[in-house]
Amino acid sequence: MRIAAFLFCLLCCTVALFAQPKAGLVAFYPFENSNADAAGNTANAFQPALNRVYECGVEGKALEFSGANGNAVVMGPANDEFTTEDFSLSFYFKSTNSNGIQYLVHKLTSNCKTDGNLFYIRFRPFTRTLNVFLGEGAKTVNLIGEVPAGKCWHHVAVIREANKVKLYINGIKIQELNTQGRINLSNDGKFTMGNSPCPSVVNQAPFEGYMDEVR
């Protein structure tokens, strides 16, 4: 499997971990009772750091997200990776609430912003559907995938390579779409894990559950 260098094949109780790349790794959050970037850049620590709950995860600990107050905001230069260049983002998640459409990660200029440059990954537990969105004004790409039933943890990887955007779920390529030119995701927002950017919107909810091994 060509993607086995950085993707995971996952079962609920038995987890097989494939090798993860270190070359080019910008930030890594294993959530081992810490808000630090394990790739070594102290400026990439996420906030808030205090009063966080770390539970058993895929490997070691995982970070609990408990709704509107459970977000983790990356503060450092890792935010600058979401521009026009190639990037990959991968993480494990486990949802513990079936309400609404939950934002796993997002990078928006401001709350409730629907135009401009933006990136997000949402999850709808009721239908087990993932939605990956990249947008630059009218130029957008929207990938959809369904996580399998009966699994505790799921691994998600999004890869932007030139004009292609690929979505992998549990090591399987679910969808690949082309864009007309590279979508510029540059904005002044922070990469945020777990929170809803617009909680007043009907059926939109902050993520409740756990995340682990964010790269």
Side-chain angles (χ1 to χ4, degrees):
M1 185 182 299
R2 286 184 293 178
I3 60 168
F6 58 92
L7 297 180
F8 298 157
C9 180
L10 177 63
L11 298 175
C12 178
C13 296
T14 302
V15 180
L17 296 178
F18 291 101
Q20 294 283 299
K22 295 183 179 179
L25 184 62
V26 173
F28 172 35
Y29 303 97
F31 302 127
E32 297 302 315
N33 294 314
S34 170
N35 70 323
D37 169 16
N41 191 334
T42 57
N44 281 331
F46 67 81
Q47 302 296 332
L50 300 177
N51 301 318
R52 304 313 301 259
V53 176
Y54 299 90
E55 299 287 355
C56 183
V58 172
E59 185 174 357
K61 298 290 187 178
L63 180 62
E64 180 182 28
F65 291 83
S66 56
N69 296 321
N71 64 315
V73 182
V74 174
M75 305 305 293
N79 285 292
D80 299 330
E81 296 301 312
F82 300 95
T83 57
T84 58
E85 64 186 85
D86 293 345
F87 72 85
S88 65
L89 170 68
S90 67
F91 57 87
Y92 283 103
F93 81 96
K94 179 172 72 171
S95 177
T96 58
N97 190 313
S98 60
N99 294 334
I101 300 172
Q102 304 181 8
Y103 277 75
L104 299 176
V105 301
H106 65 82
K107 190 174 187 297
L108 308 176
T109 299
S110 60
N111 285 354
C112 305
K113 189 173 180 63
T114 58
D115 57 1
N117 303 359
L118 65 159
F119 169 57
Y120 62 72
I121 301 177
R122 301 189 303 189
F123 179 61
R124 185 168 188 169
F126 184 74
T127 58
R128 307 193 313 276
T129 303
L130 276 169
N131 169 211
V132 180
F133 184 88
L134 291 77
E136 180 190 0
K139 186 165 60 174
T140 64
V141 63
N142 194 38
L143 296 91
I144 303 293
E146 183 178 302
V147 303
K151 307 294 183 184
C152 298
W153 288 90
H154 301 285
H155 186 263
V156 178
V158 176
I159 300 171
R160 196 261 288 280
E161 185 178 31
N163 293 351
K164 300 179 186 295
V165 183
K166 307 171 188 178
L167 168 63
Y168 294 86
I169 297 176
N170 297 338
I172 300 171
K173 185 164 75 170
I174 302 300
Q175 193 174 19
E176 176 180 326
L177 295 176
N178 294 326
T179 61
Q180 294 183 350
R182 287 177 179 257
I183 294 176
N184 187 356
L185 302 176
S186 302
N187 61 44
D188 60 1
K190 302 295 185 184
F191 180 76
T192 302
M193 297 174 272
N195 203 9
S196 169
C198 188
S200 62
V201 173
V202 176
N203 209 33
Q204 183 169 298
F207 174 59
E208 293 188 42
Y210 300 88
M211 295 183 71
D212 200 5
E213 302 293 305
V214 177
R215 299 175 186 264

